[in-house]
Amino acid sequence: MSDARVHVERDGDIAVIVIDNPPINAGSAPVRQGVMAAVRQLEADATLQGAVLIGAGNTFIAGSDLREFGQPLAEPQLPAVIAAIETCSKPVVAALHGAALGGGLELALGCDARVAAPGTVVGLPEVTLGIIPGAGGTQRLPRLVGIPRAIRMICGGERFAAPAALETGIVDAIAEGDLRSVAVAHARALAGRKQRLRDRAVPAADATAIDEAVHTALKTGKRRPAVQAAIDAVIESAHVPIDEALADEGAVFQRLRVSREAFALRHQVFAEQDSTMHPALEGAVPRAVQRVAVIGAGTMGSGIAIAGLEAGYDVLLLEQDGAALERGATRIHEHFAGRVQSGKLKASAAAAAEARLQASLDWSRLAEVDLVIEAVFEQLDVKRQVFERIDTNARPGAVLASNTSYLDLDAIAATTRRPQDVIGLHFFSPANVMKLLEVVRGKATAPDALATGLAVGKKLRKMAVLTGNAFGFIGNRIYSAYRRQCEFMIEEGASPEQVDAALQRFGFAMGPFAVADLSGLDIAWRMRQAQAATRDPAARYVHIPDRLCEAGRLGRKTGAGYYVYPAGAKGPQVDPAVRALIEQCRAEKGIAARAFDNGEIVRRAMLAIVNEAALLLAEGVAERATDIDVVLVNGYGFPRWEGGPVFWARDQGEAALSAGMDDLAHNSGPGFVRGDLKHVLTEGASA
Ligand code: NAI
């Protein structure tokens, strides 16, 4: 019997059911039908004693077809396939390699035994998609690993490598030799026996251990609905008969998969998948990169060097002076020592990474590298001088990148004789932690140089997004429109703490004023001073941040900004002096303070983001609306479960959005530039 996605081979008295649905053997409807048919064949054929379920290619079932989750699910659904395996009188052994994730692991848990090749990873990441495992994962896993561990694993979306999977009992054996032969032997040894997980009792667990697991899961899972639902389902496994508990799990899964949150999370996954695939770059082959030079060993340079070393690159760290170089090298060393000390990295791995670092003051060594990343002071003349030196020393064909946040990449590239090789690689601070990487296209940048930037981003495990060369690129440009709107609101009557609390409740990791205090108010202050001469004199301008800076309140580093930070206090404290300063600013403009509610605050902040997104799309700085969602979620603490501002905008509907924009324009006063919403509403992937 054969199916396009599943076929059955024979190894003597054992059927080998092969799932062949490249690239990840996703458990789509044809796969489910194929497995179902193969199990029927196993039951019917008296010459067969048992079966092995295995994936073709380089993986078992590494996940589901996410697009299916937004639509009515085709029959047979996975629980029915698993029920067929369980009711089949003959044993079925799952042979795992690559990844067995989500429905893939659930299918394996429905089998009578599991053997895994070394290097296999297993996990139930459903909660990260706003759903719970819907094919028995919440019931069968606890029977193997106990309630506390099942909660940790499911709620944390944790993945286990083969040794941990063996230790916890998720797999019965690791196949040292040929996986298929080992699994066939295992199936033969089981002949005549069934050992279904459903027939096992859930191991008794200590109430404190369960409470601890629940508490941690809720905290790290930000109390999202899927986390609570997964906890409830796992706990049910201990006291509700399995068929009833499976029915409950299934009902919750069906409800959650069509929830707004699940659509939002899937949208974000599709947007992230799309962000590195650009039609304009099709056919462009990334240049080979192994050796990377980082120029400037400050905050960003040392973070970028760490990221490079951790990804396996050879890193040459260059500086202008010995003391700064020494400080940078020490910072890098301390990072690795800290990781070893906290048990996150093996000493041997840290030593291997550090051995790939070379710190030098000799710029002629730039000739050795494939990629240069400049991270010196944010001053155009300094950067131009540095690029002249890079141009003199780097080999032809090397990609030359700047980490500038705001400067004109074309003005930097113009100092070289090879602007086609110049890109922006805009990392976020701390560069070894933050996921987002903006890859900036200059007017002369060659497609393969740009493709190299995206490939390097992938190797660094960053979320790389392509952006045009414009002031603030995508992220900082949107963020400053958002912050400006929040400043408008405090000028009109809201307080900084009210705005922060409303946006944090919406889901932002931090409110904009707490963020401003954390990063320092002086950066934006200097920028406003630099732009003063060219600013539209009619445009609305809020003086509050300038006044704070003039009073020496530069944020956390000076102990005061929008908030105060007295020694010993936990976090930002509201300061009456700030209230007085804001009231003074309002009085000078004759603004009578009015009350705001949280809904209005969130709405205005979101509309400001959406409007700036529309402008960026019209200018071609962002190519696709959904790239903006990737930027905000991965670089600016925007709540992933809200899908990003574009998802939010599409969810509002065109009429409501357009009315909201009328209000926004009215509230923002003179100088407000309104974007055309059509790009936001139509371009890029959708769930
Ligand atoms: P930093 O002041 O901590 O480090 C700059 C380093 O560059 C210093 O060690 C300095 O000695 C070195 N340097 C200066 N001139 C040099 C020259 N001519 N040749 C060689 N080395 C030289 O600055 P930070 O914060 O690391 O910023 C560096 C760049 O990264 C800037 O372009 C900044 O806009 C950008 N950036 C900064 C972010 C941040 O949050 N700090 C975020 C994203 C980008």
Side-chain angles (χ1 to χ4, degrees):
M1 126 99 229
S2 90
D3 176 273
R5 310 295 161 82
V6 176
H7 65 271
V8 181
E9 298 169 7
R10 274 193 85 120
D11 189 321
D13 53 358
I14 301 297
V16 179
I17 306 169
V18 183
I19 299 164
D20 190 2
N21 186 26
I24 62 156
N25 284 332
S28 58
V31 167
R32 297 193 298 268
Q33 282 154 14
V35 174
M36 190 78 144
V39 172
R40 282 204 198 104
Q41 184 188 347
L42 168 68
E43 186 70 275
D45 187 337
T47 64
L48 288 170
Q49 298 281 345
V52 162
L53 191 58
I54 194 167
N58 53 14
T59 188
F60 190 68
I61 295 180
S64 302
D65 178 357
L66 292 192
R67 299 224 177 246
E68 265 198 340
F69 286 164
Q71 299 156 10
L73 289 182
E75 301 293 341
Q77 295 189 27
L78 191 54
V81 178
I82 292 172
I85 293 174
E86 284 186 330
T87 47
C88 174
S89 63
K90 299 170 190 175
V92 179
V93 172
L96 313 179
H97 72 306
L101 297 174
L105 181 57
E106 290 185 290
L107 181 61
L109 292 173
C111 294
D112 296 270
R114 289 146 295 283
V115 290
T120 307
V121 290
V122 301
L124 293 172
E126 284 84 349
V127 161
T128 62
L129 293 166
I131 56 178
I132 65 168
T138 66
Q139 302 306 306
R140 293 189 185 88
L141 186 67
R143 287 173 158 75
L144 276 175
V145 305
I147 302 254
R149 183 161 243 153
I151 290 176
R152 282 200 296 277
M153 193 170 161
I154 294 174
C155 295
E158 243 181 87
R159 294 176 184 202
F160 283 176
L166 181 67
E167 192 195 312
T168 49
I170 297 171
V171 302
D172 301 272
I174 294 185
E176 290 305 340
D178 174 50
L179 172 68
R180 178 175 163 149
S181 327
V182 173
V184 166
H186 209 98
R188 204 162 274 140
L190 276 181
R193 273 191 293 145
K194 286 293 277 182
Q195 45 181 38
R196 309 181 307 176
L197 286 181
R198 58 154 41 236
D199 300 326
R200 284 205 205 178
V202 175
D206 177 81
T208 327
I210 297 179
D211 282 352
E212 258 173 38
V214 168
H215 179 77
T216 313
L218 286 173
K219 196 163 160 223
T220 51
K222 304 242 167 78
R223 302 191 174 273
R224 304 315 308 158
V227 175
Q228 183 64 61
I231 291 171
D232 295 344
V234 170
I235 287 179
E236 251 195 33
S237 70
H239 57 86
V240 175
I242 186 158
D243 287 319
E244 201 180 310
L246 285 173
D248 289 348
E249 179 205 67
V252 174
F253 164 80
Q254 296 292 359
R255 174 170 58 77
L256 289 178
R257 78 178 172 85
V258 289
S259 65
R260 181 183 183 275
E261 184 153 329
F263 274 105
L265 287 161
R266 288 194 292 268
H267 165 88
Q268 184 61 214
V269 171
F270 299 142
E272 287 174 354
Q273 284 169 354
D274 272 11
S275 78
T276 51
M277 290 186 275
H278 282 268
L281 292 184
E282 218 177 274
V285 180
R287 302 181 197 172
V289 174
Q290 177 51 37
R291 287 159 303 178
V292 179
V294 177
I295 304 184
T299 312
M300 292 307 286
S302 40
I304 295 167
I306 290 168
L309 293 169
E310 288 183 338
Y313 288 118
D314 300 321
V315 176
L316 172 67
L317 190 64
L318 285 177
E319 254 289 346
Q320 58 179 352
D321 73 88
L325 186 65
E326 184 64 36
R327 278 196 301 277
T330 305
R331 213 172 302 149
I332 294 167
H333 173 68
E334 282 170 354
H335 163 83
F336 284 107
R339 300 264 301 165
V340 171
Q341 205 166 22
S342 63
K344 294 199 175 97
L345 194 66
K346 284 198 180 127
S348 55
E354 285 197 74
R356 278 185 275 101
L357 174 70
Q358 298 200 21
S360 175
L361 294 171
D362 176 6
W363 289 49
S364 70
R365 295 194 55 191
L366 280 175
E368 300 164 14
V369 307
D370 312 309
L371 166 69
V372 182
I373 305 174
E374 165 279 311
V376 304
F377 300 139
E378 184 78 344
Q379 287 162 18
L380 187 57
D381 52 339
V382 177
K383 302 239 189 226
R384 286 174 60 103
Q385 280 165 21
V386 166
F387 268 78
E388 270 175 33
R389 275 181 93 179
I390 297 173
D391 192 30
T392 310
N393 290 288
R395 69 165 174 78
V399 174
L400 315 181
S402 172
N403 180 45
T404 181
S405 310
Y406 292 101
L407 299 172
D408 177 4
L409 185 70
D410 293 329
I412 296 171
T415 60
T416 71
R417 288 159 297 171
R418 37 176 142 171
Q420 74 280 3
D421 295 335
V422 177
I423 61 173
L425 285 180
H426 183 217
F427 289 84
F428 290 71
S429 184
N432 56 309
V433 176
M434 293 292 290
K435 286 293 276 181
L436 182 62
L437 175 68
E438 286 180 318
V439 179
V440 188
R441 181 207 296 252
K443 70 170 187 288
T445 305
D448 66 335
L450 216 48
T452 310
L454 292 171
V456 167
K458 189 169 177 196
K459 180 139 187 218
L460 293 172
R461 295 175 171 225
K462 303 283 181 206
M463 199 53 71
V465 176
L466 197 62
T467 162
N469 173 34
F471 187 80
F473 309 125
I474 295 175
N476 283 345
R477 166 103 173 254
I478 289 197
Y479 196 80
S480 60
Y482 159 77
R483 196 172 54 199
R484 211 161 44 236
Q485 195 58 229
C486 293
E487 290 166 3
F488 290 167
M489 290 192 271
I490 60 172
E491 191 177 60
E492 290 166 34
S495 66
E497 58 275 18
Q498 188 193 0
V499 172
D500 277 356
L503 290 162
Q504 222 179 338
R505 177 176 295 187
F506 171 73
F508 273 98
M510 283 172 84
F513 299 110
V515 170
D517 274 5
L518 190 64
S519 34
L521 303 187
D522 48 329
I523 306 172
W525 188 29
R526 254 183 276 123
M527 205 153 343
R528 287 193 299 276
Q529 287 167 338
Q531 292 167 339
T534 52
R535 190 177 300 122
D536 172 5
R540 179 170 173 189
Y541 186 87
V542 178
H543 291 89
I544 297 164
D546 290 350
R547 295 289 169 77
L548 289 168
C549 292
E550 286 156 17
R553 305 181 67 115
L554 303 182
R556 251 176 216 229
K557 61 186 170 191
T558 58
Y562 282 99
Y563 299 92
V564 271
Y565 302 85
K570 213 170 151 225
Q573 308 290 313
V574 173
D575 186 353
V578 173
R579 194 163 298 158
L581 184 148
I582 294 173
E583 276 165 12
Q584 174 69 30
C585 289
R586 288 181 195 137
E588 285 167 15
K589 287 195 183 170
I591 297 173
R594 69 171 177 91
F596 275 78
D597 67 37
N598 291 346
E600 182 180 3
I601 292 172
V602 170
R603 197 167 167 72
R604 261 179 79 170
M606 287 300 300
L607 287 166
I609 292 176
V610 173
N611 186 61
E612 206 63 23
L615 294 172
L616 283 168
L617 285 160
E619 292 164 26
V621 177
E623 277 187 20
R624 285 171 308 203
T626 49
D627 286 348
I628 288 159
D629 288 344
V630 179
V631 167
L632 269 285
V633 167
N634 289 284
Y636 294 84
F638 190 97
R640 172 172 279 268
W641 63 85
E642 285 289 342
V646 168
F647 181 87
W648 180 90
R650 290 175 181 179
D651 197 44
Q652 303 293 305
E654 198 168 346
L657 200 57
S658 171
M661 285 299 169
D662 292 343
D663 292 343
L664 184 74
H666 173 75
N667 288 324
S668 302
F672 177 81
V673 183
R674 189 167 169 167
D676 182 343
L677 290 171
K678 77 167 187 275
H679 304 287
V680 174
L681 294 172
T682 55
E683 283 170 28
S686 199

